[in-house]
Amino acid sequence: MAKQVISTPVIRRLPRYYRFLGELEREHIERISSRELAMRMGLSASQIRQDFNCFGGFGQQGYGYHVKELREIIGNILGVHCKTGVILIGAGNLGKAIASHVDFRKRGCELIGVFDNNPLIQGTSTADLPIMPMESLDNFCKQHHPQVAVLCIPKDAAQQLAEQLISLGINGFWNFSHFDLRITNPDVIVENVHLGDSLLTLAYCMHRHENE
Ligand code: NAI
C-alpha cells in the first residue's frame, strides 16, 4: 500500500488531538462526535473530519469516534511507542529544565545521555543522568546509537556541533539554540523551537483582538 503523505499543518495538530483524547480517556468517555471534540478543542468539526480523513477517516456516521482506538491510531502515527534514543547537549538552565521536565518516554523517546563542555558541571547529574564531557560524545554515540539530539547550547556553537552530530548518526534535532540550523541532508529532520515566537503570536493576537 502506498505510504500516505500527511501535510505538516495536520501533523502539527496531531499531538494536540492525542493530548485531548488522553483527557477524554481519563474521563472514561468511550466515544465522541466530531462536533463535541471540536467544541472541546476550539476547532471546527469539518476541520477535524478533514484531518482524520488524511489517515483513513475512522469515524462512523451516527457513532462518532471511538476515543481509545483513535488515540491509539494517532499515537502510532506519532510514534509514541518507539524508544528513540535522545541525547541533550548543553546542561545549563534550559537544558536542565528540559531534561527534568519533559516526559521523553511518553513521547516515544528516551533521554540516554547529557553532555556539556563546562568541566565545572561535568560529573554532576541532571534527570538522574551524569553530565558527560564533550570528549566522550564520539564513543557514546558509537556505543548507544542515539538518533535525536536536543541542542540547548549558545547559537554560535550550534551549526558546527550539528554537523559533528550528523556524522555520528544523529538524524533528528530538537533545536533550542536560537539558530535555525542549515542542514542539506534530506534524511535529517530539524525542529527549531523558539519560545519567543509563541509569545509574539500571543502578543499579535491580543493586539488584533483589542483593535477589532
Ligand atoms: P546556559 O548558559 O545556562 O547554558 C548553556 C550551556 O551550554 C552551558 O552549561 C554551557 O557550558 C554549555 N555549552 C556552551 N557551549 C557548548 C558547546 N559547544 N558544547 C557543549 N556545551 C556547551 O544558557 P541557557 O539559559 O540554558 O540557554 C541555552 C541556549 O538556549 C541559549 O542559546 C539561549 O539563547 C537558548 N534559549 C532558547 C530558548 C528557545 O525558546 N529556543 C529559550 C531559552 C533559551
Side-chain angles (χ1 to χ4, degrees):
M1 198 167 71
K3 210 172 173 185
Q4 181 152 15
V5 179
I6 302 172
S7 76
T8 308
V10 178
I11 291 168
R12 292 215 175 271
R13 282 193 288 275
L14 289 185
R16 193 156 174 253
Y17 287 128
Y18 187 71
R19 185 158 45 83
F20 269 83
L21 289 164
E23 280 171 21
L24 293 173
E25 250 193 288
R26 282 188 290 280
E27 289 171 32
H28 306 289
I29 295 173
E30 275 180 29
R31 60 179 167 134
I32 191 161
S33 67
S34 46
R35 204 165 60 88
E36 279 171 306
L37 187 57
M39 261 163 48
R40 279 187 174 240
M41 294 188 62
L43 293 170
S44 71
S46 70
Q47 170 87 81
I48 287 180
R49 281 193 295 268
Q50 255 179 43
D51 283 355
F52 292 169
N53 277 341
C54 293
F55 33 86
F58 45 69
Q60 281 171 35
Q61 195 79 42
Y63 178 87
Y65 299 104
H66 191 286
V67 171
K68 190 165 187 278
E69 236 170 58
L70 180 57
R71 184 163 184 267
E72 249 167 50
I73 291 167
I74 294 179
N76 285 336
I77 293 170
L78 289 170
V80 297
H81 304 300
C82 302
K83 274 210 179 122
T84 305
V86 177
I87 54 174
L88 183 144
I89 321 274
N93 293 312
L94 181 67
K96 280 185 175 149
I98 289 176
S100 314
H101 296 294
V102 172
D103 191 340
F104 285 90
R105 287 213 176 116
K106 242 170 120 180
R107 293 166 177 102
C109 294
E110 187 160 12
L111 183 62
I112 56 173
V114 178
F115 296 84
D116 198 288
N117 70 356
N118 180 354
L120 293 176
I121 61 169
Q122 289 161 8
T124 65
S125 61
T126 185
D128 290 332
L129 290 168
I131 299 173
M132 294 181 273
M134 293 301 283
E135 290 72 25
S136 52
L137 186 63
D138 270 48
N139 267 342
F140 185 92
C141 291
K142 282 175 193 146
Q143 261 185 352
H144 300 283
H145 308 289
Q147 277 184 274
V148 169
V150 186
L151 300 185
C152 301
I153 48 167
K155 61 180 183 182
D156 298 348
Q159 183 67 30
Q160 201 186 350
L161 181 60
E163 282 162 23
Q164 181 193 352
L165 287 163
I166 292 170
S167 74
L168 292 172
I170 294 292
N171 56 16
F173 288 94
W174 199 23
N175 173 30
F176 287 85
S177 73
H178 277 327
F179 177 83
D180 288 355
L181 297 171
R182 289 186 297 266
I183 307 292
T184 48
N185 184 337
D187 297 327
V188 177
I189 313 291
V190 180
E191 180 72 15
N192 296 308
V193 185
H194 299 280
L195 296 178
D197 287 1
S198 175
L199 182 58
L200 271 179
T201 309
L202 171 70
Y204 167 78
C205 292
M206 289 179 73
H207 286 134
R208 197 184 54 181
H209 185 71
E210 276 165 19
N211 294 332
E212 267 166 13

